Structure formats: structure tokens, C-alpha cells
Amino acid sequence: MQFFTSALAVAATFSVADAAIKGFNSGSTFSTGANKQQADFAYEMKAAQQLPGTNGAWTSVRLYTMIQGGTTDSPISAIPAAIETKSTLLLGLWASETSDAFQNELNALKNAISQYGTAFTDLVTGISVGSEDLYRTSTGEVGATPEQVVDFISKTRAVIKGTSLEGKPVGHVDTWDAFVNGANSAVVSACDFLGMDAYPYYQASTVGGNGIGNANATFWKAYTDTVGAAQGKPVWITETGWPIVGDTIGEAVPGAEDARTFWEEAVCHALATDVNMYYFQLQTSQGVQVNPDWGIKGAGDIVNEAVRFQVTC
Ligand SMILES: *[C@@H]1O[C@H](CO)[C@@H](O)[C@H](O)[C@H]1NC(C)=O
């Protein structure tokens, strides 16, 4: 409790620019495939709030599914963890699947509302129906069509109608180029907000190259292009980052120094301009090493586990 009291006191002195949401993405499993439990989510949330030099400002978490791993439709344990740690949540419903499976996401959402009530719903910053489903369809992976995403959005709106979640913004997360693609404009129309994922690291064919020297410009061009396709809807940054470990792609080389540069330029500009931001990601892989690994903090003792680079601006 002492921690929260002092964090709130500091927060009260923040400037307007600090009002934007600052958070990290969090999957429902570890890289081993093991399901995260409440204590695991709470650990991440506390680690984010205790990042050195940030005055406890990183208090939000974006989820990909409403379902606790290993169950059919029990609410994800990130919810009690958020209540416990006073974190906020951008909810996610996984939408690259059949309608029957999506119904389980809706059931978990309903179950969460009835189980936790306003202690939960007061913490919700928004509801994202899907994550990169349009992009995945464009690459031939299991995704969702624009028609399916629109249908899932309307089913989600029907579920929250008349509940304490009614009025929360409902949107969709996808890669920036999926939003810019006019074939997907019906999804944009159906959204209250767009969640944009953009990774200059992967954009090897971009003009000027994908080296760190061009990353800030590439990122903000993606953002500006998405805003141009957004039909006036707010655009949130739902994923971006620079890997610390992993393969070189074109001119993009993973490493802590370049990740720091990306933070200092792209992330700090987002914070200074009041854009809602969910960074990818807080934790390095735990268990099996992933490639690329975007984590800025190891798994271990929250206070003493060093960050890979400074996240101050
Ligand atoms: C990063 O891009 C933004 C948006 O174009 C720009 O305002 C800012 O000056 C850039 N930062 C650097 C360090 O170039």
C-alpha cells in the first residue's frame, strides 16, 4: 500500500502529456507454453510500475485474450492481478479463429463482468477485438477477414451493452499497413479507436532502409499513414519496439544500444505528444529464448533485475 500511496502522490504532479496511457503488452503464456497465473501477471505489473526513472507511470497492460490458459472460458487471471496492483487493462479478444471459439472469448468477457464487477470494469481502457488478424490473412496464415472482424466487433458491443463496460471504446489492433489498405475500411468504420502495430525492424524494403538511423522516421510515417486512413478515429500505438536479441534483418541489428535509441526517439516522441502507447515488451523471454527477443527487463527480483537500457526520456 505504501508504494501506491507514494506513486499516486508523484502522479498528481505530472504534466498534461503524462495523461496518456503507458503500458506493455502481455501474452497469456510464457515462451515455454506454460500459462501465466495471477502471480505472474502481478509480477509484470509491479515490475512495470517500478521501472527506474519513470515515477510509476507505466501502469497499463494490453491483453490478447479474455480466457485464462487451460480453461474454456474462465476470465484471464490478469484481471485479479490488475485489481491487486491497481493497473489498467486494454482487453483483447482473440479473433483469428472460428465463430464458436470467439464465443468462448465473449463468454469469458461476460464471466469477468459478473465475477469482478466494477472493480474490474473501472480499470478497462478499451476493448480490442482481434490482433493482427487482417495482416495474418494477408500472409496466408489463420486470420480473419474484414467481414469477420466487423461481425466480432458487433457481437462484442452486444455483450457489453447494459453492463458496466458499456461506453468503453471498442476497437481493433492490426499492423499499420492493414489499416492503410482500403480493402479493410469497413473494420475502421466499425471501430471507436484503432490500435496500430508498427515495427521498423521488419521493414527491410522501406525507402532509406530499416537501420536504426531510419527507424524513428519509418515509425512515424506508419503512424501518420494510419491516422490518414482512420476516418477521424483515435489511433493508439498498441505494439512497437526494437529487439535486444535476435537475427539481423537487412540493416536492422538487435541490441540494447539501438533499442535505447528507438526508445529515446520514437517512444519518447509518443509520450511527449500524448499518444496512448503499449510497448512490446517488458519481459525478456522466460524459459525458452525467443528470436527476436524484445524484452527490456529480465525475470527475477523486480527491483534488482537490471533493465537492458534506460527507459527515461
Ligand atoms: C522522431 O520523429 C518525430 C515525428 O516525425 C519527430 O518530431 C522527431 O523530431 C524525431 N526524433 C528524432 C530524434 O529525429
Side-chain angles (χ1 to χ4, degrees):
M1 274 306 110
Q2 183 55 44
F3 168 71
F4 293 117
T5 310
S6 53
L8 286 173
V10 172
T13 65
F14 279 173
S15 65
V16 171
D18 292 304
I21 300 161
K22 290 176 262 304
F24 292 95
N25 287 274
S26 187
S28 63
T29 60
F30 291 111
S31 57
T32 56
N35 298 314
K36 289 183 191 169
Q37 307 296 331
Q38 181 177 342
D40 302 314
F41 284 112
Y43 169 88
E44 287 181 19
M45 290 163 177
K46 288 179 200 158
Q49 292 170 355
Q50 294 180 38
L51 278 172
T54 62
N55 291 330
W58 289 78
T59 55
S60 200
V61 170
R62 170 179 166 235
L63 304 174
Y64 294 81
T65 175
M66 290 306 301
I67 302 171
Q68 173 60 24
T71 76
T72 304
D73 57 12
S74 295
I76 190 164
S77 60
I79 294 169
I83 295 169
E84 176 193 336
T85 63
K86 296 182 165 55
S87 298
T88 61
L89 294 171
L90 171 52
L91 303 179
L93 286 82
W94 191 251
S96 285
E97 54 191 0
T98 64
S99 293
D100 287 350
F102 188 74
Q103 187 59 46
N104 291 334
E105 291 282 349
L106 293 173
N107 292 344
L109 179 62
K110 284 186 221 173
N111 293 340
I113 298 168
S114 54
Q115 191 170 337
Y116 298 105
T118 53
F120 156 54
T121 58
D122 285 352
L123 300 175
V124 174
T125 61
I127 304 170
S128 172
V129 180
S131 177
E132 300 193 357
D133 315 274
L134 303 171
Y135 165 77
R136 241 177 271 112
T137 293
S138 76
T139 62
E141 296 164 87
V142 178
T145 64
E147 294 73 24
Q148 285 170 320
V149 175
V150 167
D151 178 50
F152 289 158
I153 288 173
S154 112
K155 290 189 163 107
T156 303
R157 289 192 190 280
V159 161
I160 64 171
K161 195 168 165 49
T163 76
S164 50
L165 276 183
E166 185 170 9
K168 297 289 184 179
V170 178
H172 170 70
V173 168
D174 224 300
T175 57
W176 68 272
D177 48 328
F179 287 123
V180 169
N181 181 348
N184 296 324
S185 66
V187 172
V188 175
S189 305
C191 287
D192 298 327
F193 73 98
L194 309 186
M196 181 204 76
D197 295 356
Y199 291 101
Y201 166 75
Y202 288 121
Q203 290 186 234
S205 59
T206 205
V207 177
N210 65 336
I212 188 64
N214 199 32
N216 180 55
T218 300
F219 177 80
W220 286 106
K221 180 176 188 316
Y223 186 83
T224 307
D225 288 355
T226 305
V227 169
Q231 302 173 19
K233 317 285 172 81
V235 178
W236 300 12
I237 299 162
T238 39
E239 287 184 32
T240 195
W242 192 270
I244 312 267
V245 175
D247 293 338
T248 293
I249 296 181
E251 295 162 17
V253 186
E257 199 177 318
D258 286 358
R260 166 64 197 164
T261 300
F262 187 73
W263 185 281
E264 205 171 311
E265 298 185 352
V267 175
C268 290
H269 184 68
L271 301 183
T273 50
D274 217 13
V275 178
N276 292 337
M277 139 87 56
Y278 289 88
Y279 189 83
F280 196 93
Q281 63 185 5
L282 180 65
Q283 296 291 148
T284 55
S285 49
Q286 298 169 54
V288 178
Q289 176 65 50
V290 294
N291 176 10
D293 190 329
W294 310 79
I296 59 177
K297 198 168 189 308
D301 177 83
I302 289 176
V303 175
N304 295 316
E305 179 63 43
V307 290
R308 304 298 190 257
F309 62 90
Q310 291 305 310
V311 294
T312 47
C313 286

